[in-house]
Amino acid sequence: MPMQSWFSEAKLGIFVHYGIYAVDGVPESWAFYTGQVSHARYMKQLGGFTASRYDPRDWAALFARAGARYAVLTTRHHDGVALWDTEFGDLDVVRRTPAGRDLVGPYAAALREQGLKVGMYYSHSDWNHPDYASVLHPCPSPTHTDVLTSPWVAPSTGVEDPEAWTRYLAYRDGQVGELVDRYRPDLLWFDGEWERAEEQWGTDALAARILRGHAGTVCNARLTGHGDYATPEQGVPLRAPEGPWELCLTVNDSWGFQPGDTNHKSVRQLVRYFAETIGTGGNLLLGVGPREDGTIPHEQAARLEGLGTWIAAHREAVYGTVAGLPAGHHYGPSTLSADRRTLYLVCFDPPREHVGVRGLRSRVRRVSVVGTGTPLAHRVVGGLHDVPGVLWIDAPPARDVDEYATVLALELDGELGVYRGAGRV
């Protein structure tokens, strides 16, 4: 698929899990898969899904204030309930819920009004479709052996039905085609790929269909064999994936709305996740779960606002940057300007006396505090032959220390150069 430059430049996206599962506040789709609730009880939520206060313009304005450059909405999760009036089946919120209208189109329009890129989540799997549990994964991973036994995934008789599977793929491709043709998404975020092998999914044909409909669409790696970027979940990887990537992370512990989950990450923690992610070249896709009426819980909205305030004060160290120093040079993440001549150091704890940087070959012309512009004295101590000395930067005064993370800008005399050797032996 054709990677677009906007993606790596975006830095922050918002992941919105919105669907009928918000009515009872149960895990999205998984509630009936795991038996937490019966299938009948889960599907009864269709009758309670009103979207009565759904205002995607409010969402988009909040996302923009958070500093996001794109958002991703769950247009259809594993439960098969589409948020638009699909022509492929009738399991959608237009026909089957009190909401009674397309929720995807207004979302796309609202994001574009704010200048945000439009992302749409779509699950390859559909545990409600009559033709889905018709074939078996030929070699599932040890962590997903349930795909051979689950009644929602595997044929109950153990006998495969290739014709049913062909019908299912036509249904999936038809729905994805609708999303592409009607809404022209900038990004498609696929999921559920682990339940079948790559060759079973028929992704060659699906990728071609997406490109025919909207050649600029970016797809995640769960469009197996054709994706543009990796999507680790819920934890900053210790080693960044190769190529473009994003970390998808929830504000609390749940993707969708679950009123009993009050374990919300603090703004300080979110700033830390964000800085660590962009410091190694990724984006943060931060997940929120609206209530069934369409409102985003205050606890989550407040955290987006807080993160956005920090980003706005440090935007030069965020947008237009690439990954900074390798691990070990500075106790914290860093970013680097696109021309590689300004290095931004993130300090999570208030600096005491000095901030040290090791292995910096480049001469530093000036150091200042991002957001206030206060200059800081600095000097290099030690060094021998090829091994640079340590750059010691005076700690900023207390008035310049940020509540969540202080950022220092190092203006370099030329492009960044670092030493990675072992020294004299």
Side-chain angles (χ1 to χ4, degrees):
M1 305 295 284
M3 193 51 177
Q4 305 295 317
S5 60
W6 70 259
F7 178 82
S8 293
E9 296 167 359
K11 307 304 179 185
L12 179 66
I14 306 298
F15 206 176
V16 187
H17 278 65
Y18 186 42
I20 66 168
Y21 35 85
V23 173
D24 291 342
V26 296
E28 62 292 335
S29 305
W30 292 99
F32 74 83
Y33 183 97
T34 61
Q36 178 176 332
V37 301
S38 69
H39 181 260
R41 172 68 184 272
Y42 184 93
M43 298 308 293
K44 188 178 180 180
Q45 294 177 105
L46 286 165
F49 186 75
T50 67
S52 58
R53 298 174 64 191
Y54 172 63
D55 188 344
R57 285 186 168 181
D58 282 351
W59 286 9
L62 171 62
F63 301 164
R65 292 194 301 273
R69 297 291 178 86
Y70 67 108
V72 178
L73 172 67
T74 50
T75 62
R76 181 176 74 65
H77 208 268
H78 313 315
D79 61 12
V81 182
L83 298 189
W84 76 100
D85 52 334
T86 180
E87 296 177 5
F88 294 84
D90 67 350
L91 187 52
D92 61 53
V93 299
V94 181
R95 297 176 179 90
R96 303 283 294 276
T97 77
R101 64 194 188 280
D102 171 20
L103 303 180
V104 178
Y107 154 83
L111 259 60
R112 290 185 170 122
E113 286 179 4
Q114 288 286 345
L116 306 182
K117 297 295 185 181
V118 177
M120 297 179 182
Y121 168 111
Y122 183 89
S123 170
H124 290 294
S125 56
D126 180 344
W127 297 330
N128 264 313
H129 196 282
D131 291 324
Y132 183 66
S134 56
V135 294
L136 295 166
H137 194 303
C139 187
S141 74
T143 57
H144 289 300
T145 55
D146 58 318
V147 302
L148 300 179
T149 58
S150 170
W152 306 110
V153 181
S156 58
T157 63
V159 179
E160 297 187 283
D161 185 347
E163 291 184 0
W165 183 245
T166 298
R167 291 194 300 270
Y168 178 77
L169 291 182
Y171 152 80
R172 180 208 58 180
D173 292 356
Q175 286 198 327
V176 173
E178 286 179 330
L179 294 175
V180 171
D181 293 344
R182 294 188 195 181
Y183 312 114
R184 301 181 67 78
D186 300 292
L187 183 151
L188 281 171
W189 209 102
F190 289 98
D191 197 14
E193 83 295 341
W194 69 87
E195 294 192 334
R196 301 285 186 260
E198 180 177 332
E199 59 273 15
Q200 291 175 303
W201 283 125
T203 53
D204 289 351
L206 181 57
R209 173 65 181 88
I210 294 168
L211 289 174
R212 284 198 308 273
H214 188 212
T217 302
V218 172
C219 297
N220 70 343
R222 298 176 193 185
L223 181 64
T224 50
H226 295 275
D228 300 299
Y229 67 94
T231 56
E233 294 187 31
Q234 295 288 47
V236 179
L238 296 180
R239 180 176 58 82
E242 293 186 11
W245 65 282
E246 72 182 2
L247 167 67
C248 45
L249 179 81
T250 49
V251 169
N252 53 5
D253 292 330
S254 307
W255 293 109
F257 174 67
Q258 294 190 40
D261 182 357
T262 60
N263 190 31
H264 294 92
K265 299 172 182 67
S266 66
V267 174
R268 180 172 286 104
Q269 287 174 316
L270 293 177
V271 167
R272 191 180 191 109
Y273 276 109
F274 178 67
E276 290 175 343
T277 300
I278 67 172
T280 47
N283 291 351
L284 178 63
L285 184 62
L286 188 58
V288 297
R291 302 179 185 91
E292 68 81 17
D293 66 3
T295 57
I296 294 174
H298 169 74
E299 296 86 352
Q300 298 188 354
R303 282 157 174 79
L304 295 190
E305 299 273 12
L307 176 59
T309 298
W310 185 88
I311 291 174
H314 303 90
R315 58 184 303 112
E316 71 173 85
V318 174
Y319 305 117
T321 65
V322 296
L325 293 168
H329 290 268
H330 160 63
Y331 290 116
S334 61
T335 60
L336 183 65
S337 62
D339 65 4
R340 303 184 62 80
R341 290 173 177 265
T342 304
L343 179 66
Y344 299 98
L345 306 180
V346 181
C347 303
F348 294 127
D349 298 317
R352 296 182 178 180
E353 189 178 2
H354 297 101
V355 174
V357 184
R358 298 179 298 280
L360 189 62
R361 288 191 183 278
S362 310
R363 188 175 74 85
V364 177
R365 298 170 55 191
R366 183 175 186 270
V367 179
S368 60
V369 181
V370 174
T372 68
T374 300
L376 300 177
H378 55 92
R379 60 196 176 279
V380 175
V381 176
L384 180 65
H385 303 312
D386 291 338
V387 183
V390 175
L391 172 70
W392 293 106
I393 303 167
D394 285 0
R399 67 177 181 275
D400 290 302
V401 174
D402 187 87
E403 180 181 4
Y404 301 125
T406 304
V407 182
L408 310 182
L410 281 61
E411 299 174 23
L412 309 177
D413 187 11
E415 294 188 8
L416 174 68
V418 295
Y419 174 77
R420 299 291 288 167
R424 183 177 179 182
V425 296

